[in-house]
Amino acid sequence: MEIKIGIQNVTREVTINVDTTIAEVMKDYSQAREKDTWMTLTDSTGRQMMIPAATIGYIEFGQEHARQVGFNN
């Protein structure tokens, strides 16, 4: 699933593809925000990204399941 994160005072958004669900990402963000720490995300290739939770302006979620393309018999 593709996630776009808007960071305060930064003109470009951060885009990352993750293998987790929307609920898991929201839970991680909520916990990081409560503790005033960093939100850590791991993309589908194993790279990790850390963003200070207090600076996140918005999180935009793509489709959780990719649409199938092609013909089906």
Side-chain angles (χ1 to χ4, degrees):
M1 167 180 56
E2 183 179 82
I3 297 175
K4 294 180 182 178
I5 301 173
I7 302 173
Q8 296 173 6
N9 303 318
V10 177
T11 56
R12 296 184 68 182
E13 60 193 12
V14 175
T15 303
I16 184 170
N17 289 312
V18 296
D19 293 329
T20 59
T21 64
I22 293 173
E24 291 171 343
V25 173
M26 290 180 66
K27 178 183 168 192
D28 291 344
Y29 171 71
S30 295
Q31 289 175 350
R33 186 72 177 141
E34 286 175 9
K35 297 177 184 177
D36 197 26
T37 60
W38 297 74
M39 180 178 173
T40 304
L41 294 167
T42 304
D43 72 1
S44 50
T45 62
R47 295 184 319 167
Q48 288 190 330
M49 179 180 298
M50 295 177 65
I51 302 170
T55 63
I56 294 176
Y58 66 89
I59 301 175
E60 181 180 317
F61 298 98
Q63 290 184 346
E64 209 164 339
H65 302 287
R67 288 184 277 166
Q68 294 182 358
V69 177
F71 297 99
N72 192 8
N73 290 345

